[in-house]
Amino acid sequence: MNIWIQGARPRTLPAAIAPVLVATVLAGADFKPVQALLALTVSLCLQIAVNYSNDYSDGIRGTDDNRIGPIRLTASGLAPAKSVKRAAILAFAAASIAGIALAALSSWWVILLGIAAIAAAWGYTGGSNPYGYKGLGEMSVFIFFGVVATMGSYYVQTLEINWVSFAASVPMGSLSCALLAINNIRDRAQDELVGKRTLAVRLGDRGSRIFFVLLLVSAYIFAALTGHIWVLLTLITVPMAYFISKKVLQGATGSQLIPLLGSTGKLQLLFAITFAGSLAL
């Protein structure tokens, strides 16, 4: 069982928790615990499904054969490819069931968002023409683990959308992108060798590191655009963001980036907690 927990890549799960947390606090008096819990279930299951499906798709393509970082079940031979694919399907199924229940309690068009999210999750590295190999992964993460996850979680509780919910979704999307960006910086050289044209490959080493830092900076800028003075609380997380940025800009590579990936996940969660607290105030 431990290999399956590792294969689910726990360090990436803050990307699923953070947007739901912020949206739920933003809902205020309209907070609905059942809908919030279902939204969290959908988000977590989709994140796990993405991780397993990427493990499977990259594994059978051979692009993970010499990868540094979190354990790869398929490429390492720790689990048969069909078992990893089955795990991804089960996670997608769990997300679908929770999503249907969520739609029944809010609006049936939520199902369309769910279908789009599942298609995007699988299409990242799966299928015959994966968009993750073309440098579009960060855009997809920003949309689905930022805008859709935050505004969607807000909508199913309040049945409305507004500027504040959008502004709040941008930091969540930026920090989720940062998780993928630092992961792709770590894998950039290997990805380039196997023809995986991630955004890090397209931007080059220096450009991808600057892009990572800009993602962190944008989180603070858009938090401020919500118009709440208490968002200054998010500045508590600046020292952590500075430490991570400094290490990345100084050229941390390979295994040196693994703890920074974990730190970026912690930053996202801590940012989300302080951001949510400021919105509550």
Side-chain angles (χ1 to χ4, degrees):
M1 178 60 70
N2 185 48
I3 64 167
W4 292 102
I5 294 175
Q6 293 182 65
R9 303 180 194 177
R11 289 179 176 178
T12 66
L13 297 186
I17 299 170
V20 181
L21 172 63
V22 168
T24 299
V25 172
L26 189 60
D30 292 318
F31 164 60
K32 294 181 176 62
V34 174
Q35 283 89 327
L37 183 60
L38 285 170
L40 179 61
T41 300
V42 171
S43 190
L44 283 169
C45 288
L46 281 177
Q47 180 66 62
I48 293 170
V50 166
N51 292 337
Y52 281 138
S53 62
N54 289 350
D55 188 306
Y56 165 76
S57 297
D58 282 341
I60 61 173
R61 280 190 170 89
T63 54
D64 272 351
D65 289 350
N66 297 297
R67 191 79 64 185
I68 298 170
I71 189 171
R72 267 72 167 189
L73 302 178
T74 306
S76 66
L78 288 173
K82 63 180 181 181
S83 296
V84 179
K85 184 179 182 180
R86 188 180 301 118
I89 291 172
L90 288 173
F92 280 130
S96 299
I97 292 169
I100 291 171
L102 192 55
L105 293 172
S106 55
S107 173
W108 288 109
W109 71 262
V110 171
I111 291 179
L112 296 179
L113 284 179
I115 293 172
I118 290 173
W122 177 258
Y124 175 53
T125 56
S128 59
N129 193 27
Y131 65 84
Y133 282 52
K134 299 178 179 180
L136 299 175
E138 282 81 358
M139 181 184 296
S140 178
V141 165
F142 179 83
I143 292 171
F144 289 101
F145 284 97
V147 177
V148 171
T150 308
M151 296 186 73
S153 297
Y154 179 77
Y155 175 81
V156 296
Q157 296 179 70
T158 66
L159 296 183
E160 65 177 27
I161 56 176
N162 51 39
W163 160 255
V164 176
S165 65
F166 172 73
S169 75
V170 175
M172 299 301 96
S174 294
L175 292 172
S176 291
C177 278
L179 282 170
L180 178 58
I182 197 168
N183 187 71
N184 286 341
I185 290 170
R186 184 198 64 215
D187 296 337
R188 188 188 62 81
Q190 176 63 21
D191 285 339
E192 190 168 16
L193 285 175
V194 298
K196 188 175 181 180
R197 301 282 294 171
T198 63
L199 190 58
V201 172
R202 290 180 178 277
L203 293 177
D205 184 68
R206 187 63 181 172
S208 59
R209 293 174 189 274
I210 293 173
F211 174 68
F212 171 81
V213 174
L214 290 176
L215 287 172
L216 300 190
V217 172
S218 69
Y220 296 95
I221 293 173
F222 276 86
L225 291 178
T226 59
H228 293 273
I229 186 63
W230 286 104
V231 297
L232 291 174
L233 284 173
T234 59
L235 297 180
I236 295 172
T237 65
V238 166
M240 182 183 292
Y242 174 77
F243 171 81
I244 298 169
S245 298
K246 182 179 178 182
K247 291 290 185 181
V248 170
L249 289 176
Q250 285 178 340
T253 59
S255 60
Q256 297 172 338
L257 287 166
I258 297 174
L260 294 181
L261 173 63
S263 295
T264 303
K266 291 176 183 176
L267 171 65
Q268 182 179 29
L269 195 54
L270 182 58
F271 183 98
I273 291 170
T274 55
F275 189 30
S278 70
L279 294 174
L281 291 172

